[in-house]
Amino acid sequence: MTARNSILLIIKQQPGIEYNSLLNKIVGSYGSIESARAALSRSIRYLSALGLVARRGNKLFATGKGMALLSNEMQNKLLLKLNDLIGKKDASIRFETVVELLQTLIERSKQDKDLLLAAKGSVDFYISNLAFLEKDVEKRIHRMQYLHKIFKQQVSSLKELGFSDFRELVWNPASKKTLKAIAKKSKARAFTVECLDNGFRKKAAEHFSAKGRQNDLFLEAKQFGSFLNFVENNSKIERNTVNLFLGGIKIKIDFPHIFVTAPCKQLQELLEEK
């Protein structure tokens, strides 16, 4: 709906609304009251020139022509969408949209008798069509409940088979402590650092006197805590995304976000989850 038609709808729903009251209703959509007043004045002149709005003193009324325009808009947008949706075989798949549109239709019809009359004469569906749709939805609900049960079993099976999962942490003293505990529980003697920024890699290699290959650096487990501090100190200036590998555990640090990936059961044990 255009801004002018929105103004026309407000006038239609509140016959005799005063100019300043109408201005207060639309000012939130503009940067200032001056720009809202200018836009409203232009719209009122335009609507009046087309015979859609009549002005009596400081009060505004929608004319019969204006009411007809709104009724047509109601039919051409909301009703056409409903007619199209409900008439399709896959309406149950888009049931949420149907419910939303029907609710809009009901609320508008309660507020505007003219729109209610237009709606009654323009819908291409009957209550029985909605009853058939309801049955289709019930069938889908039953089917989805069955699939949901199977899906839960599949998720459990994937956990048992050792498929990976991840947890996201936010960088803070507690998460640093958690990462150190993970490194200790992994019992890894060394870890690999994949540096996505070449400048950071060179700086880290020099700082830790570390050997490497391409984007990777190889550090001893005892350097893990120091490396976390190094990432934290350098990430305050520039974004340095790094991946840490401790055996089958991957820790991605995209400061201040941390993503820990490992086989599901192992991940739960590492984070002491039940």
Side-chain angles (χ1 to χ4, degrees):
M1 181 175 286
T2 65
R4 287 169 179 168
N5 283 354
S6 296
I7 290 170
L8 178 58
L9 181 59
I10 295 172
I11 296 172
K12 168 63 181 68
Q13 292 174 342
Q14 300 182 44
I17 186 172
E18 295 187 348
Y19 182 89
N20 287 335
S21 297
L22 183 54
L23 177 62
N24 290 333
K25 287 183 176 294
I26 70 167
V27 68
S29 301
Y30 295 86
S32 66
I33 191 168
E34 289 78 13
S35 58
R37 183 180 289 110
L40 180 58
S41 296
R42 289 194 300 270
S43 295
I44 295 300
R45 286 197 300 270
Y46 177 84
L47 294 171
S48 298
L50 293 180
L52 304 176
V53 166
R55 194 164 187 168
R56 301 172 193 169
N58 197 39
K59 296 183 178 181
L60 298 163
F61 298 85
T63 65
K65 184 178 179 181
M67 295 177 187
L69 176 69
L70 289 175
S71 295
N72 287 336
E73 180 158 335
M74 174 73 172
Q75 177 181 347
N76 293 336
K77 291 189 177 179
L78 178 59
L79 290 180
L80 285 178
K81 287 181 180 179
L82 273 170
N83 288 336
D84 181 59
L85 270 177
I86 295 174
K88 290 184 175 180
K89 293 182 179 180
D90 64 348
S92 60
I93 299 176
R94 304 172 66 184
F95 186 63
E96 183 177 350
T97 303
V98 173
V99 171
E100 291 175 354
L101 292 175
L102 283 174
Q103 189 62 34
T104 302
L105 173 63
I106 291 168
E107 293 302 323
R108 289 188 183 180
S109 296
K110 286 179 180 179
Q111 297 171 6
D112 194 316
K113 292 182 179 179
D114 293 328
L115 292 180
L116 174 59
L117 290 174
K120 286 180 178 180
S122 302
V123 294
D124 291 337
F125 57 86
Y126 299 95
I127 300 299
S128 293
N129 297 122
L130 300 180
F132 292 141
L133 175 58
E134 181 184 5
K135 290 181 180 179
D136 287 341
V137 171
E138 287 178 348
K139 291 178 182 178
R140 286 188 60 81
I141 291 173
H142 179 74
R143 175 66 175 169
M144 290 302 294
Q145 287 175 336
Y146 170 75
L147 291 176
H148 180 239
K149 182 179 179 181
I150 299 298
F151 181 72
K152 288 177 67 176
Q153 293 173 349
Q154 291 172 335
V155 171
S156 296
S157 296
L158 292 175
K159 290 179 180 179
E160 293 295 330
L161 291 169
F163 279 74
S164 294
D165 198 0
F166 81 95
R167 295 290 184 275
E168 181 177 359
L169 308 174
V170 177
W171 192 279
N172 56 42
S175 62
K176 284 178 63 179
K177 185 177 179 180
T178 298
L179 294 182
K180 291 177 183 178
I182 289 174
K184 186 176 181 180
K185 290 178 183 177
S186 73
K187 298 180 180 180
R189 296 182 179 181
F191 65 99
T192 301
V193 180
E194 181 186 28
C195 304
L196 302 187
D197 181 86
N198 190 49
F200 176 79
R201 179 190 177 282
K202 291 180 179 179
K203 192 184 300 184
E206 181 179 349
H207 183 84
F208 290 98
S209 300
K211 295 181 179 180
R213 181 182 58 196
Q214 296 181 342
N215 295 331
D216 296 341
L217 295 176
F218 308 115
L219 300 176
E220 296 179 11
K222 63 182 180 181
Q223 296 175 296
F224 189 82
S226 299
F227 185 78
L228 293 182
N229 294 333
F230 184 78
V231 171
E232 182 176 29
N233 293 334
N234 284 276
S235 292
K236 292 179 180 178
I237 302 173
E238 55 186 318
R239 181 177 178 181
N240 299 312
T241 303
V242 295
N243 294 317
L244 313 182
F245 297 92
L246 301 100
I249 304 167
K250 176 183 176 181
I251 300 173
K252 177 181 178 180
I253 303 176
D254 188 4
F255 200 87
H257 304 285
I258 306 166
F259 302 89
V260 183
T261 303
C264 186
K265 280 191 173 183
Q266 184 183 14
L267 182 62
Q268 291 174 340
E269 293 172 357
L270 291 172
L271 298 176
E272 297 181 349
E273 297 177 345
K274 294 183 179 180

